[in-house]
Amino acid sequence: MITLIMAEDHQMLIDGVTSFFEFDEEIKIIGSVNNGEDLVKLVALKQPKVVITDIRMPKMDGIEATKRIKKQFPHVHVLTMTMFDQPEAIKQMLQAGAIGYILKNSGIKMLSKAILTVSKGEKFFDPNVAFNFLNDFIDDTITIGKSEKVVLSNREKEILLLIAEGKTSQEISENLFLAKSTIDTHRKNMIRKLELSSGSELVKYAIDMKYQF
């Protein structure tokens, strides 16, 4: 059994992942926290096999938390799950001691594969991050996830940008000269495509991805 602790400042994402693995026979979530300080404390208390952590968190970010965890408990394997695909962010997490790095929009199947891989002490990388700077970290144990990148239509991207600006479905419908029911349908389709759990998760995703389209 792979014991797992998850650190993420959005509780809804934790709840979604926890729900998915609730009856999994290989992976068991034994704790979750919303900031880096509590992550270090909980790891010290429970010493899981794998830690999933975001980078940006309150009190202590994932980079510093990973450094402290790996210094005290080198046998604990750290998997980064974040929206940040910038080279510097990836480098800092790997230098801190993480051996896995996936993006939040990669899907639950890739997350499962990443957990299983890093639990064996092997490296796992999302295929949608740049690898031209990772030569120092790549070796025979590396696994590159199979790309399951979600492709949104131009209309969906347009709606997502308006969602990121805080507009309601009614406001978006008026802006795009479409029926409100059409906007609601697009919202539901994006939640399904992106494997999100709710409308509020879609809003968070829209804000995080606002400048990446």
Side-chain angles (χ1 to χ4, degrees):
M1 177 67 71
I2 300 169
T3 51
L4 175 71
I5 287 176
M6 184 174 178
E8 163 64 47
D9 61 340
H10 289 83
Q11 186 62 42
M12 192 169 295
L13 181 55
I14 290 178
D15 292 344
V17 173
T18 300
S19 177
F20 182 83
F21 289 115
E22 184 176 4
F23 301 107
D24 194 285
E25 296 181 353
E26 293 183 278
I27 299 169
K28 181 177 178 61
I29 298 179
I30 60 173
S32 62
V33 294
N34 301 118
N35 65 74
E37 281 188 4
D38 288 346
L39 173 60
V40 175
K41 293 176 183 177
L42 192 59
V43 169
L45 181 65
K46 296 193 173 184
Q47 296 193 35
K49 194 171 189 66
V50 174
V51 165
I52 296 178
T53 181
D54 197 352
I55 294 179
R56 183 176 59 190
M57 291 188 295
K59 296 185 179 180
M60 182 189 298
D61 64 31
I63 297 168
E64 181 60 29
T66 297
K67 288 178 182 177
R68 297 191 185 192
I69 289 168
K70 293 303 293 184
K71 183 177 180 179
Q72 298 179 61
F73 311 103
H75 60 283
V76 175
H77 304 303
V78 178
L79 169 64
T80 309
M81 185 170 72
T82 183
M83 280 292 188
F84 295 108
D85 60 357
Q86 294 88 348
E88 190 56 35
I90 301 169
K91 278 186 178 180
Q92 288 186 45
M93 279 304 296
L94 297 179
Q95 290 168 346
I99 60 172
Y101 199 103
I102 66 171
L103 302 179
K104 288 183 179 179
N105 62 347
S106 297
I108 200 72
K109 290 181 181 179
M110 188 178 295
L111 174 60
S112 298
K113 177 64 175 176
I115 293 170
L116 294 172
T117 301
V118 302
S119 72
K120 297 181 286 187
E122 299 174 0
K123 299 172 183 176
F124 186 100
F125 291 102
D126 191 305
N128 297 315
V129 299
F131 286 94
N132 58 337
F133 62 92
L134 290 175
N135 291 335
D136 293 339
F137 302 98
I138 293 178
D139 56 32
D140 292 338
T141 68
I142 190 172
T143 297
I144 308 297
K146 181 180 178 182
S147 181
E148 298 177 1
K149 189 172 183 178
V150 176
V151 178
L152 298 180
S153 68
N154 289 333
R155 177 64 81 186
E156 288 171 335
K157 290 179 181 179
E158 189 176 20
I159 292 172
L160 203 61
L161 286 172
L162 292 171
I163 291 173
E165 294 173 3
K167 295 188 182 301
T168 65
S169 290
Q170 183 61 47
E171 290 170 333
I172 295 172
S173 72
E174 293 170 359
N175 187 291
L176 299 180
F177 302 101
L178 296 172
K180 178 179 177 295
S181 59
T182 300
I183 304 301
D184 289 336
T185 298
H186 279 300
R187 281 179 177 265
K188 291 177 182 178
N189 287 339
M190 285 190 284
I191 290 172
R192 176 182 55 78
K193 279 186 178 182
L194 297 167
E195 297 185 0
L196 302 174
S197 57
S198 66
S200 58
E201 274 295 296
L202 180 63
V203 172
K204 178 187 178 300
Y205 177 87
I207 294 171
D208 285 339
M209 299 297 288
K210 184 175 181 180
Y211 301 108
Q212 299 190 38
F213 291 125

